[in-house]
Amino acid sequence: MREMADFLRSRRERMAPVGNGRRRTPGRRREEVAAAAGVSVDYYSRLEQARGPHPSVSVLNGIACALELDADERAHLFRLAGEAVPEEPASTSVRPGVRLLLDRLRDDLAVVISDLGDVLAATPRAELVFGDVVGRNLLRAFFLGDESWVPAEDREQVARSHVADLRATLARRPAVRPLVDELMASPWFARLWAEHDVAVRRSARKRLRHPVAGLLEFDCEVLSAPEHDQRLVIHVAPEGSVTAQRLDLLVSAEEAAGRMPEPWTLVPVSPSSE
């Protein structure tokens, strides 16, 4: 309670005063914070004096808003009060820092994926190669849709990676449960989920069977935001590799024709590269 009292006082004193009048103390008055939080002045004053009752979750939320706490400060307040930190909603937009990185990778194959498997953004080159992926959920597409982009011999490993990563996400974001329940419609997912494997997805080698370019092999670098709710995934084709050649031919064909080649028409590569 003493540490929470000191924290509340320090956050109140850092706030800009209301109005233009002169004040003997920094920040806002207790009555101003109490009114914004929806509690009595006496109640809030006792909290700052470490002699108040244990605040409820609704009171903590009101105080966090009144003190204009950011996400980290809000979480800290809840921990000081001995309450579980409320879950943040899933990402629906790309964080500014991640967006800046994505803009600088316009000529690369890069996508931003939420920890729930939603594709939030992609570079133009990634959209050219992977199609209209923004707005799709990769987990639903893999387990409930068409996983033909993944070579048959790789599908079990990829499925295990998806499931283990989703279970790790569930540990920090209980709201994932509805997605898990939905994916249970896939016997494949249900079988792997019952094994209780847990592993956060990291950088790895990925193979995809493109409907036009054929088999593509990438070194995938996964960069996670500090909150772990967004990942920037960069697909790198080693210079001089068959994949690099196929991608160059794919881009050239699209630029020349103004469209993608006919589906399932493999882009040729020089025999020396095979």
Side-chain angles (χ1 to χ4, degrees):
M1 292 298 292
R2 169 54 57 188
E3 189 173 353
M4 184 172 68
D6 292 342
F7 178 68
L8 292 175
R9 187 169 54 255
S10 70
R11 298 304 90 179
R12 176 176 59 81
E13 291 177 349
R14 73 170 186 175
M15 300 181 74
V18 175
N20 299 320
R22 298 182 62 184
R23 297 192 176 185
R24 291 177 297 177
T25 57
R28 294 188 183 173
R29 297 187 177 97
R30 286 175 178 169
E31 53 264 33
E32 293 168 342
V33 173
V39 298
S40 69
V41 178
D42 178 67
Y43 181 93
Y44 182 78
S45 297
R46 284 187 288 135
L47 285 179
E48 280 202 4
Q49 294 165 0
R51 59 184 184 87
H54 184 83
S56 66
V57 170
S58 62
V59 168
L60 290 172
N61 277 321
I63 292 174
C65 291
L67 294 175
E68 300 175 1
L69 303 184
D70 63 24
D72 292 334
E73 292 170 331
R74 181 169 175 267
H76 183 62
L77 174 62
F78 272 75
R79 293 189 184 100
L80 290 176
E83 295 288 347
V85 178
E87 184 179 348
E88 293 293 323
S91 301
T92 56
S93 60
V94 181
R95 296 184 181 279
V98 178
R99 170 62 69 182
L100 179 61
L101 287 173
L102 196 67
D103 290 342
R104 294 181 177 180
L105 294 168
R106 290 184 59 84
D107 293 331
D108 295 292
L109 300 177
V111 295
V112 179
I113 305 173
S114 76
D115 57 358
L116 304 187
D118 295 317
V119 181
L120 305 179
T123 59
R125 183 66 61 90
E127 290 184 320
L128 169 64
V129 175
F130 302 136
D132 187 16
V133 295
V134 177
R136 296 181 60 197
N137 182 278
L138 299 182
L139 298 175
R140 291 189 183 96
F142 184 84
F143 288 105
L144 304 178
D146 180 12
E147 74 279 2
S148 62
W149 274 59
V150 180
E153 60 271 25
D154 296 349
R155 290 173 191 169
E156 179 73 11
Q157 179 183 349
V158 171
R160 287 183 177 277
S161 176
H162 280 320
V163 172
D165 185 78
L166 186 60
R167 186 175 285 280
T169 300
L170 178 64
R172 64 179 182 273
R173 191 188 295 281
V176 172
R177 177 56 65 178
L179 175 61
V180 173
D181 293 340
E182 181 182 350
L183 295 174
M184 283 293 184
S186 164
W188 194 10
F189 178 88
R191 172 175 62 83
L192 295 177
W193 187 260
E195 296 182 10
H196 291 270
D197 290 338
V198 182
V200 176
R201 184 170 297 129
R202 295 178 172 86
S203 302
R205 172 62 65 92
K206 179 188 293 187
R207 301 200 314 162
L208 298 174
R209 188 167 294 284
H210 190 276
V212 172
L215 184 64
L216 304 176
E217 298 189 36
F218 299 102
D219 292 321
C220 290
E221 294 296 330
V222 181
L223 307 179
S224 297
E227 297 82 1
H228 299 293
D229 65 341
Q230 292 185 3
R231 298 162 184 172
L232 175 62
V233 184
I234 307 171
H235 301 73
V236 180
E239 186 175 357
S241 65
V242 171
T243 295
Q245 289 191 50
R246 287 176 171 169
L247 289 176
D248 288 342
L249 290 168
L250 188 64
V251 172
S252 298
E254 192 277 339
E255 291 177 345
R259 60 177 176 80
M260 293 284 286
E262 290 299 320
W264 297 108
T265 301
L266 294 181
V267 174
V269 296
S270 61
S272 61
S273 299
E274 291 285 10

